[in-house]
């Protein structure tokens, strides 16, 4: 959440603590979230892991790489969106992650 927005809405005082969480910029950090949430099958998790190398997401189907830079809350949202798919959930997650990171670093 954005602290300045909460302040403008007069809601900042409703929270006793605010924490700054750096953006995720490493594939292992994303895999920690993916593993903890357990939203994907083993094969889907392996597909996600294979696309993440260090600070880069490789989209083989697009022939492009993108540097990782995304908030943890957004990673949770993308996982939940992918979870709703009947098939191709890992591909949906990876493409959504690619799009988010592509625009975050553009």
């Amino acid at each position: 959440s954005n602290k300045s927005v909460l302040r403008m809405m007069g809601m900042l005082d409703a929270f006793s603590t605010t924490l700054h969480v750096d953006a995720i910029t490493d594939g292992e950090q994303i895999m920690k979230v993916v593993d903890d949430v357990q939203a994907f099958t083993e094969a889907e998790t392996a597909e996600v892991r294979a696309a993440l190398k260090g600070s880069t997401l490789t989209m083989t189907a697009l022939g492009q790489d993108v540097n990782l830079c995304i908030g943890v809350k957004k990673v949770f949202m993308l996982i939940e969106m992918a979870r709703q798919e009947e098939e191709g959930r890992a591909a949906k997650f990876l493409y959504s992650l690619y799009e988010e990171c592509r625009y975050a670093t553009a």
Side-chain angles (χ1 to χ4, degrees), residues 12-100:
L12 189 58
D13 293 336
F15 299 91
S16 59
T17 304
T18 58
L19 298 173
H20 173 76
V21 178
D22 291 330
I24 292 176
T25 58
D26 184 78
E28 283 305 311
Q29 294 169 324
I30 290 179
M31 286 311 303
K32 176 71 173 138
V33 176
V34 169
D35 290 339
D36 286 352
V37 173
Q38 298 179 350
F40 301 122
T41 65
E42 285 185 36
E44 291 167 336
T45 300
E47 183 179 341
V48 172
R49 188 177 311 281
L52 299 169
K53 298 293 181 218
S55 63
T56 304
L57 167 62
T58 300
M59 292 297 293
T60 306
L62 300 175
Q64 296 184 1
D65 295 346
V66 68
N67 289 329
L68 296 169
C69 185
I70 189 167
V72 68
K73 285 173 58 176
K74 193 151 285 191
V75 173
F76 282 119
M77 181 194 71
L78 298 180
I79 290 170
E80 192 55 40
M81 285 174 35
R83 187 190 302 223
Q84 303 304 314
E85 299 292 319
E86 290 187 28
E87 55 186 50
R89 296 180 322 161
K92 170 71 173 180
F93 172 71
L94 289 169
Y95 183 75
S96 298
L97 180 61
Y98 170 82
E99 287 295 308
E100 288 293 330

